[in-house]
Structures are given as structure tokens and as C-alpha cells.
């Protein structure tokens, strides 16, 4: 996961986790609007009463519908979450903008301003990105300015613009503080994740050749066995042994021997890179390959490619003698013989050595 994706995921989690709290707060505000309209107001504000009640009912219906959709299809909002969140937040802002407009048109200015502040900061604390905050603020701020202009004229609209500018400054500052906290947490998380990955990677990697070591092979072998057991997919084991490796070490030294091991590992990796497979250093001069979803034809083709590729490469450090390998392979079609698959491959390797080396055998 890269840095931007990590920040986006953290934002998504914040919005998801704070969603229930946000719904509770806004439903409480809706209940207050309904309560105020029904019981605490008089006929002086009859227009505001009617329309604010309608908007409050719309909001309750909107949240109820959203809750049903979320219950029936939990993954709906997680797909393209930014787009879906933007649509939902804009609808939310439209509803509250309507309530604010009604109140201001009835000369009730102080209540709507506090209502706006509560709703907007509710969005900030929920972890909305600045984009979502903008989408949220647009209908509410527009309603405030339009209603103020229609009811109180240009001068009051200018005053309201100054107030809203201050509110926007505070919102943007709050967003910056939240973003800094997220960035710090993400940076720490990514550093720890990278360290954990490196530790896991180095624990399973042969330092010389860069392929899996014995521990890495054991993990790959467990995966292959699991696929064979659960998905009924056969896998193959190929043992690759470098011919006369001890003589190379004794004659040309360990540096030449290391170069030989690196060359063989690279050739094997290039031969199996198009297959679902892995290669590990199994012993001093022995490599072991796992071929997933194996067939006899696929295994034979891989063995042939490895033999040909290594025969065609010669290291100047070991004179005119070409590097060659002997291979023994076995295919596991039945989970019952999974524990014996390496022994079968080892026997096939022994037969290939008895047959003169620089060849391969596939166990029947």
C-alpha cells in the first residue's frame, strides 16, 4: 500500500467508524427541529414551522433509507466510497440548508447560525476530507447567504460572508490538524509495516542467491499442499542438483562456487517466471522448485528449459567446463502421497545421476 492509498484508507475508516455518531447527532437535531416546531413555537413563525418540519421528516426518511441499504448490502457504500460519500453528504447539506433558509426567512438568525456550526463541525470531527467538507458546506452556506440577502439586504449579507469566512478558516485549520495526525500515524504505520515485511522477507530468503531458503520453502510447500487439499490442484516438486559442485569449489575456489550458485538460481528463476511456481535453495548445491497446478507436460517442459538454459551458460572462472544440473521431479496428484512427494523426487534425481547426470527424470 502506497502513502496516498494509506491516507485514503485511514480517512475511509474514520468516516465509517464515526458514521453512527454522526447519524445520532443529526437525528437529535432533527428531533429538536420537530419538537420546537410542534410545541415551542407560535403562529408567528408558521411558515418556518411548516417547512422546517418537512425538512426534518425528509432527513429522518433519508437516514432510514440509508440504514436499510447499508443493512441489506453492507458493501455498497464501500465501493467507490468517496463518490458515494460525496452524494450522501451533499444531500445532507441540502436538507440542512433548507432548514436554515426557512428560519432566516422568518427573522430567526441566531438559531440557524448555531445549527450550521454544530452540523459543520460534526462533519469535521467525523474525519471528512476537505473535499467532502466543501460539498457539505456549499448548500448550507448558499442558503445562509441567499436567505440573508433576500431578508436583510446586501450589508447583512456581507456581514454573514465575513462570519462564514471565519467559520471556513476554522474548519480548514481543523482539517489540517486532523491531516497532520493522520499523516503521522500513517508514516509510523508504513515504517513498521516495511520493517515487518523486511524481517519476514530476509527470514525466508537465501542471502547469496536471492531465492527462498529452507524456511521459505516450507511456507511455500504448505501453500501448495493446502491448494492440493482444498482445490484439488496437483503440484510438482523438482529437485535440481549442480553436477560436480564440490570439484568446482575445490578446483576454482569458493568465489567461483558462489558465482555458479547465483548463475544456476538466476537461470531457474528465468525458466519458471511464467508459471505459478517458486524456487528455494534446499541445500548447499541443491535447489527445489514447486510447480503449482502441475501437469506432466508442464513439468517436463520446465525441466528441459532449465537443462538447456544452464548448458548454454558457461562461467569463465571455471574454465571450459559448462555448468550442468541433474533434475528429479515428482507430481502430487493425490493428497495421500503428499508427505512422500519429496522422496519420490529424490529417487528420480538419484536415477538421473545414475544415468550419467546432466539430465532429468520424472517419477511415475
Amino acid at each position: 500500500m502506497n502513502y496516498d492509498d494509506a491516507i485514503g484508507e485511514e480517512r475511509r475508516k474514520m468516516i465509517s467508524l464515526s458514521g453512527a455518531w454522526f447519524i445520532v447527532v443529526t437525528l437529535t437535531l432533527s428531533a429538536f427541529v420537530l419538537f420546537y416546531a410542534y410545541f415551542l413555537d407560535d403562529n408567528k413563525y408558521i411558515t418556518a414551522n411548516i417547512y422546517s418540519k418537512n425538512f426534518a421528516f425528509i432527513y429522518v426518511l433519508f437516514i432510514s433509507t440509508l440504514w436499510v441499504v447499508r443493512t441489506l448490502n453492507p458493501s455498497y457504500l464501500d465501493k467507490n466510497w468517496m463518490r458515494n460519500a460525496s452524494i450522501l453528504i451533499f444531500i445532507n447539506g441540502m436538507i440542512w440548508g433548507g432548514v436554515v433558509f426557512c428560519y432566516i426567512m422568518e427573522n430567526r438568525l441566531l438559531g440557524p447560525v448555531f445549527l450550521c456550526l454544530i452540523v459543520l463541525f460534526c462533519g469535521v470531527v467525523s474525519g471528512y476530507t476537505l473535499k467532502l467538507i466543501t460539498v457539505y458546506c456549499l448548500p448550507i452556506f448558499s442558503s445562509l447567504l441567499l436567505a440573508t440577502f433576500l431578508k436583510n439586504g446586501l450589508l447583512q449579507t456581507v456581514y454573514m460572508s465575513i462570519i462564514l469566512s471565519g467559520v471556513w478558516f476554522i474548519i480548514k485549520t481543523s482539517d489540517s490538524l486532523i491531516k497532520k495526525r493522520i499523516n503521522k500515524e500513517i508514516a509510523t504505520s508504513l515504517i513498521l509495516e516495511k520493517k515487518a515485511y523486511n524481517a519476514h522477507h530476509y527470514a525466508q530468503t537465501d542471502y547469496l542467491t536471492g531465492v527462498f531458503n529452507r524456511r521459505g520453502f516450507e511456507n511455500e510447500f504448505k501453500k501448495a499442499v493446502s491448494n492440493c487439499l482444498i482445490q484439488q490442484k496437483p503440484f510438482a516438486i523438482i529437485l535440481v542438483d549442480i553436477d560436480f559442485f564440490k570439484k568446482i569449489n575445490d578446483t576454482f575456489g569458493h568465489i567461483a562456487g558462489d558465482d555458479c550458485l547465483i548463475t544456476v538460481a538466476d537461470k531457474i528463476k528465468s525458466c519458471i517466471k511464467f508459471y505459478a511456481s517458486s524456487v528455494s535453495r534446499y541445500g548447499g548445491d541443491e535447489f527445489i522448485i514447486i510447480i503449482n497446478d502441475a501437469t506432466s507436460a508442464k513439468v517436463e517442459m520446465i525441466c528441459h528449459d532449465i537443462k538447456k538454459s544452464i548448458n548454454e551458460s558457461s562461467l569463465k572462472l571455471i574454465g571450459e567446463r559448462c555448468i550442468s544440473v541433474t533434475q528429479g521431479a515428482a507430481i502430487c496428484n493425490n493428497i495421500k502421497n503428499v508427505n512422500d512427494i519429496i522422496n519420490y523426487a529424490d529417487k528420480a534425481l538419484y536415477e538421473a545421476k545414475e544415468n550419467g547426470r546432466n539430465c532429468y527424470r520424472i517419477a511415475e
Side-chain angles (χ1 to χ4, degrees), residues 104 109 143-153 156-157 160:
I104 292 180
L109 181 61
S143 295
L144 273 168
L145 294 174
L146 179 61
T148 303
F149 177 74
L150 292 175
K151 193 67 180 176
N152 300 306
Q156 290 294 328
T157 306
M160 180 60 71

Side-chain angles (χ1 to χ4, degrees), residues 5-239:
D5 290 341
I7 291 177
E9 179 64 17
E10 188 68 20
R11 284 284 198 179
R12 188 193 68 79
K13 287 179 181 177
M14 287 181 65
I15 293 173
S16 179
L17 290 173
S18 61
W21 173 83
F22 181 82
I23 289 173
V24 169
V25 172
T26 46
L27 282 177
T28 303
L29 289 175
S30 298
F32 172 77
V33 170
L34 290 171
F35 181 77
Y36 191 83
Y38 277 119
F39 300 107
L40 300 181
D41 215 350
D42 53 33
N43 293 330
K44 179 181 177 182
Y45 302 117
I46 187 65
T47 305
N49 282 341
I50 294 173
Y51 287 109
S52 63
K53 283 188 294 186
N54 291 339
F55 279 116
F57 277 128
I58 290 171
Y59 184 79
V60 172
L61 181 63
F62 168 68
I63 290 297
S64 301
T65 304
L66 182 61
W67 192 273
V68 171
V69 170
R70 182 73 179 184
T71 303
L72 295 177
N73 188 6
S75 63
Y76 172 73
L77 294 180
D78 293 332
K79 300 172 184 175
N80 301 315
W81 72 272
M82 179 61 81
R83 184 200 66 187
N84 293 332
S86 299
I87 294 172
L88 296 175
I89 292 303
F90 183 73
I91 295 173
N92 217 338
M94 289 284 288
I95 294 171
W96 287 114
V99 174
V100 168
F101 185 85
C102 293
Y103 280 171
I104 292 180
M105 293 303 290
E106 293 287 352
N107 290 321
R108 295 191 293 177
L109 181 61
L110 191 59
V113 172
F114 280 117
L115 180 65
C116 284
L117 291 177
I118 293 172
V119 172
L120 291 175
F121 282 109
C122 180
V124 173
V125 176
S126 295
Y128 291 175
T129 63
L130 200 58
K131 176 183 176 181
L132 291 180
I133 291 291
T134 303
V135 170
Y136 197 24
C137 289
L138 187 61
I140 298 176
F141 282 10
S142 299
S143 295
L144 273 168
L145 294 174
L146 179 61
T148 303
F149 177 74
L150 292 175
K151 193 67 180 176
N152 300 306
L154 182 60
L155 184 61
Q156 290 294 328
T157 306
V158 173
Y159 291 155
M160 180 60 71
S161 299
I162 295 173
I163 294 172
L164 294 181
S165 298
V167 171
W168 181 254
F169 173 77
I170 296 172
I171 290 173
K172 194 168 182 180
T173 304
S174 302
D175 178 74
S176 298
L177 293 174
I178 292 174
K179 191 178 293 183
K180 285 181 181 179
R181 181 178 65 81
I182 293 176
N183 289 349
K184 185 177 180 180
E185 290 180 357
I186 290 295
T188 303
S189 176
L190 289 178
I191 290 171
L192 293 175
E193 183 180 317
K194 186 175 181 179
K195 286 182 177 179
Y197 170 80
N198 288 338
H200 179 73
H201 175 72
Y202 290 133
Q204 297 190 96
T205 304
D206 178 59
Y207 75 96
L208 178 64
T209 59
V211 300
F212 285 116
N213 57 18
R214 191 66 174 263
R215 179 182 293 178
F217 164 73
E218 290 173 355
N219 290 334
E220 293 298 307
F221 186 71
K222 288 177 183 176
K223 293 177 186 177
V225 171
S226 177
N227 286 336
C228 184
L229 177 64
I230 298 172
Q231 302 180 21
Q232 299 297 310
K233 289 185 176 181
F235 69 96
I237 293 292
I238 304 176
L239 287 172

